Amino acid sequence: MDSAPVIEDLQPLLASPELRVVVDSVRDYAIFLLDINGTVLSWNPGAQRIKGYAPQEIIGQSFTRFYTPEDRARGRPFELLAEAVREGRSEEEGWRVRNDGTRFWADVVISAIRGSGGQVRGFVKVTRDLTDRLRAEEQLRQGEERLRLMIGSVREYAIFMLDPQGRVATWNAGAAALKGYEASEIIGQHISRFYRPEDLPAQKAERELGIAAETGRFEEEAWRVRKDGSRFWANVVLSAVRNASGELIGFTKVTRDMTDRMRADEQIRERARQQSLLADLGLHALRTPELPKVIEEAVRTVRQTLELDEVRVLRAGEEKPPGATSVSIHASTVGAPPYGELAVWGAPGSRELGFLQAVANVIAAAVGRAQVEDQLRSAERKAVEEREKTGRANEALRERDEFISVAAHELRTPVTALTLKLQSLERAVNIREAKPGRLEGAIRQTDRLARLIDRLLDVSHIAQQGLRMSREKFDLAALVRQVVDDFRDPAAQAGTALELEIDEPVEGVWDRLRIEQVLVNILSNALKYGAGKPVSLRVESDPDGVRVTVADRGIGIAAGDAGRLFGKFQRAASIRHYGGMGLGLYITRHIVEAHGGTITVESEQGQGSTFVVELPRFPPAEAAAGEPAEGARA
Ligand code: ADP
């Protein structure tokens, strides 16, 4: 009221050019005078711009037309004048009407103008168009509302505000979902309760707020705790909020649950680690031949990789212990595999099971390999034993042959001397006596002894350097006939008829003495094993060779024995009934083969035997080439 201007008459005010200049220059405000009844007395360009009336249209009109019909109906215009009279001024924000009927939001101040006596002479009215500001304010309000709704509805992020001390000031749905607190329980609480107990001594929350306050922002990924005590891996961004004058008024905090992503990352890392440990195990298994060591390493690998306390490899057939989870070891072995399953305790997940199976497969491969190696080793061992055995046998044979050779050589000289002595004795006795019976017996025995020694010498020759042949051209038919003649007497004594069938003559190049030896051996066997039955002898020939067949009807030879009788010291007949060292056929075969020929036997036990000797007429090329000169016999 005191500040109200005191003016006696409005007219000089209206006429004042200074005031006019000021008022007219104002374009943002409508400034005009009203008389005591509210009639418009003056009009400035601002009023014209805001309200849309030219001065001549409005001067002299009532100010009520600036008001809405509703305001006019309730007498609002005059209330404001009355208030201005009473209080010196009235002010309101409200809707006003332009000349074209449109409305605008106005800030209106009406000031009373008083005369010196205190009575009111009129009013100054200043109106400002606030429509733009109102719109901006409305937009801002709506924007804030939208933001609030948006933040409120975001569920993926916990978005909330803290006061400068770090106490929760707002709470959104995301925060409730993520951390498990309702707004009512957490607003006003310090954020340190979102941290792990072990973070508290270090004042981690306070430190982070400090960094945000200082630098404007703090971000980290770390463990946070929910209301129920469970933990999650969080991405946290703390931002300081300051007012226009730079004063810290709080913080915004945006927290996101990164547990799943971290788990995924971790899984990738874990899988890579498992793969590399598996590769290490495989390499170890390749380098380590001992199966138990591979198993040990496999168990160690599983224990370390999966951080399990108890890991065991079960033997095949061993029952799975209670509480264990296991995978099979599919070893492809010939017999029963030594191991059955790889068992662990502490409920592993599906990924761990995959890893376990891979380890079990490495074990299976190692088992398979160990078995193959075992087989190789035992085969090797057997081969070595076999070699040793044959080595020993060969050694024994060699020693026997050596003994035979030494014995035969040692015996030969005294037996020859004995023979000569007996012969000269025989001659001397013959002169005096007609029947030197006992001497004859001694001579016969000595002859046998000499023949035996000769055989032994032949055997040792065959073993050492082979039989030497001394070839000449002769008639084999004649030789056969001569040998058969020599056998007439013994055959007659044995009651055996000798039948001879022969084509004449059969010329060829052979060793006469050796061939004679062959004939004697076969024929004497036929008499020995076929005594009392006829023995037939046939000589056949063609341009290439000759065949001598000697058939008896004696004891015969069992089918299984026929093959081996041509070997050294091989006999088939019972030693009680038949003597002999089993050397005759052996030497015979060597003589025949040295001539490039063959000797075979066909026989049936109890029915008799047929020996067939086939000889080429001429020596084989290689034998002839390597042959020493005639008469070089040892
Ligand atoms: P041995 O001096 O023992 O007769 P041989 O080498 O001449 O030696 O003969 C070997 C074996 O062959 C004899 O022990 C005998 O069992 C068998 N044998 C040889 N010839 C005949 C035959 N004509 N009939 C039956 N068995 C024979």
Side-chain angles (χ1 to χ4, degrees), residues 525 528-529 552 556-557 565 570-573 580 582 584-585 609 611:
N525 275 350
K528 183 173 166 189
Y529 299 107
D552 65 64
I557 300 162
L565 296 178
Q570 296 294 327
R571 306 163 29 96
L585 286 180
S609 312
F611 284 84

Side-chain angles (χ1 to χ4, degrees), residues 426 429-440:
E426 188 186 27
V429 171
N430 272 347
I431 298 166
R432 285 181 272 138
E433 270 181 60
K435 274 238 180 263
R438 273 197 278 173
L439 192 57
E440 252 177 28

Side-chain angles (χ1 to χ4, degrees), residues 452 455 521-530 535 550-558 561-562 564-575 578-588 601 603-604 608-611:
L452 274 175
R455 283 194 167 184
N521 282 346
I522 296 175
L523 207 51
S524 55
N525 275 350
L527 289 176
K528 183 173 166 189
Y529 299 107
V535 170
V550 179
D552 65 64
R553 300 193 199 143
I555 61 170
I557 300 162
D561 291 333
R564 66 176 174 90
L565 296 178
F566 297 101
K568 212 191 288 183
F569 298 107
Q570 296 294 327
R571 306 163 29 96
S574 113
I575 194 94
Y578 301 96
M581 293 193 295
L583 290 176
L585 286 180
Y586 172 71
I587 294 165
T588 299
V601 62
S603 181
E604 205 175 312
S609 312
T610 302
F611 284 84

Side-chain angles (χ1 to χ4, degrees), residues 340-479:
E341 286 175 65
L342 176 60
V344 299
W345 281 255
S350 57
R351 261 183 311 282
E352 285 90 343
L353 279 180
F355 176 74
L356 279 181
Q357 189 58 66
V359 171
N361 294 345
V362 171
I363 294 175
V367 166
R369 194 193 60 173
Q371 207 197 30
V372 168
E373 277 172 358
D374 268 359
Q375 283 166 353
L376 272 179
R377 264 197 296 277
S378 76
E380 241 164 50
R381 209 167 36 238
K382 254 186 221 137
V384 166
E385 277 167 14
E386 233 20 76
R387 267 202 302 280
E388 276 170 4
K389 225 189 267 172
T390 43
R392 276 197 301 276
N394 285 338
E395 177 66 8
L397 287 176
R398 207 185 54 72
E399 276 171 11
R400 184 191 65 182
D401 289 347
E402 201 173 287
F403 169 76
I404 287 167
S405 168
V406 170
H409 279 101
E410 286 300 312
L411 287 171
R412 196 181 190 220
T413 313
V415 167
T416 308
L418 183 62
T419 305
L420 288 173
K421 272 225 170 71
L422 283 171
Q423 281 169 355
S424 70
L425 197 59
E426 188 186 27
R427 275 195 298 276
V429 171
N430 272 347
I431 298 166
R432 285 181 272 138
E433 270 181 60
K435 274 238 180 263
R438 273 197 278 173
L439 192 57
E440 252 177 28
I443 289 170
R444 216 171 39 241
Q445 295 299 341
T446 315
D447 276 353
R448 264 193 68 201
L449 197 57
R451 274 203 308 280
L452 274 175
I453 290 166
D454 280 348
R455 283 194 167 184
L456 290 177
L457 280 171
D458 281 349
V459 167
S460 96
H461 282 143
I462 290 170
Q464 283 163 14
Q465 71 265 330
L467 289 174
R468 295 196 161 178
M469 296 293 122
S470 171
R471 288 167 224 270
E472 60 186 302
K473 192 170 182 186
F474 65 93
D475 176 9
L476 186 68
L479 179 64

Side-chain angles (χ1 to χ4, degrees), residues 480-515:
V480 170
R481 203 170 278 121
Q482 178 206 313
V483 170
V484 169
D485 278 347
D486 290 346
F487 271 88
R488 292 280 175 209
D489 277 357
Q493 275 163 29
T496 295
L498 282 178
E499 298 156 5
L500 181 61
E501 204 182 303
I502 207 159
D503 299 343
E504 310 237 18
V506 186
E507 294 254 313
V509 176
W510 303 287
D511 184 318
R512 182 195 287 268
L513 288 176
R514 288 297 189 189
I515 295 297

Side-chain angles (χ1 to χ4, degrees), residues 132-454:
D132 287 349
R133 204 198 72 192
L134 182 74
R135 201 172 290 135
E137 270 176 7
E138 175 63 11
Q139 273 170 1
L140 191 64
R141 204 180 57 74
Q142 283 180 358
E144 276 174 358
E145 177 67 7
R146 269 200 296 274
L147 193 64
R148 204 175 58 75
L149 284 171
M150 197 186 78
I151 288 173
S153 64
V154 165
R155 298 193 66 85
E156 289 72 25
Y157 293 84
I159 303 173
F160 53 98
M161 292 206 61
L162 304 174
D163 68 13
Q165 284 72 46
R167 288 182 299 242
V168 176
T170 69
W171 201 240
N172 77 334
L178 180 54
K179 302 196 188 240
Y181 295 98
E182 290 308 316
S184 57
E185 335 173 62
I186 195 66
I187 285 179
Q189 302 290 333
H190 194 259
I191 53 159
S192 56
R193 65 164 57 199
F194 304 140
Y195 289 71
R196 299 178 302 177
E198 56 262 46
D199 295 333
L200 298 181
Q203 303 222 305
K204 191 166 153 64
E206 289 78 358
R207 209 152 38 80
E208 291 174 2
L209 288 171
I211 294 170
E214 210 168 285
T215 66
R217 189 167 185 282
F218 174 82
E219 176 166 5
E220 74 163 350
E221 285 201 5
W223 289 108
R224 291 289 189 274
V225 183
R226 296 195 183 87
K227 182 185 174 188
D228 64 8
S230 62
R231 289 163 186 212
F232 64 99
W233 184 254
N235 173 274
V236 179
V237 179
L238 255 177
S239 307
V241 181
R242 292 176 182 280
N243 66 11
S245 52
E247 194 187 334
L248 182 70
I249 56 169
F251 302 91
T252 60
K253 194 172 176 203
V254 179
T255 303
R256 189 176 180 194
D257 185 355
M258 306 295 278
T259 313
D260 286 350
R261 216 200 58 195
M262 188 203 64
R263 292 259 154 80
D265 286 355
E266 227 170 41
Q267 272 164 25
I268 290 168
R269 271 197 302 276
E270 179 60 17
R271 191 131 70 236
R273 194 172 77 95
Q274 288 181 4
Q275 295 297 333
S276 91
L277 287 168
L278 207 54
D280 285 350
L281 177 62
L283 281 177
H284 181 268
L286 275 180
R287 280 194 303 259
T288 312
E290 302 91 342
L291 193 52
K293 283 200 179 149
V294 175
I295 303 286
E296 208 175 278
E297 182 65 17
V299 166
R300 209 180 59 78
T301 300
V302 172
R303 192 173 289 153
Q304 241 181 27
T305 310
L306 303 184
E307 289 171 358
L308 296 172
D309 295 337
E310 212 180 338
V311 179
R312 268 183 58 203
V313 173
L314 304 180
R315 303 231 140 239
E318 189 177 340
E319 209 172 297
K320 188 168 74 179
T325 308
S326 68
V327 294
S328 316
I329 298 167
H330 304 285
S332 55
T333 54
V334 179
Y339 301 106
E341 286 175 65
L342 176 60
V344 299
W345 281 255
S350 57
R351 261 183 311 282
E352 285 90 343
L353 279 180
F355 176 74
L356 279 181
Q357 189 58 66
V359 171
N361 294 345
V362 171
I363 294 175
V367 166
R369 194 193 60 173
Q371 207 197 30
V372 168
E373 277 172 358
D374 268 359
Q375 283 166 353
L376 272 179
R377 264 197 296 277
S378 76
E380 241 164 50
R381 209 167 36 238
K382 254 186 221 137
V384 166
E385 277 167 14
E386 233 20 76
R387 267 202 302 280
E388 276 170 4
K389 225 189 267 172
T390 43
R392 276 197 301 276
N394 285 338
E395 177 66 8
L397 287 176
R398 207 185 54 72
E399 276 171 11
R400 184 191 65 182
D401 289 347
E402 201 173 287
F403 169 76
I404 287 167
S405 168
V406 170
H409 279 101
E410 286 300 312
L411 287 171
R412 196 181 190 220
T413 313
V415 167
T416 308
L418 183 62
T419 305
L420 288 173
K421 272 225 170 71
L422 283 171
Q423 281 169 355
S424 70
L425 197 59
E426 188 186 27
R427 275 195 298 276
V429 171
N430 272 347
I431 298 166
R432 285 181 272 138
E433 270 181 60
K435 274 238 180 263
R438 273 197 278 173
L439 192 57
E440 252 177 28
I443 289 170
R444 216 171 39 241
Q445 295 299 341
T446 315
D447 276 353
R448 264 193 68 201
L449 197 57
R451 274 203 308 280
L452 274 175
I453 290 166
D454 280 348

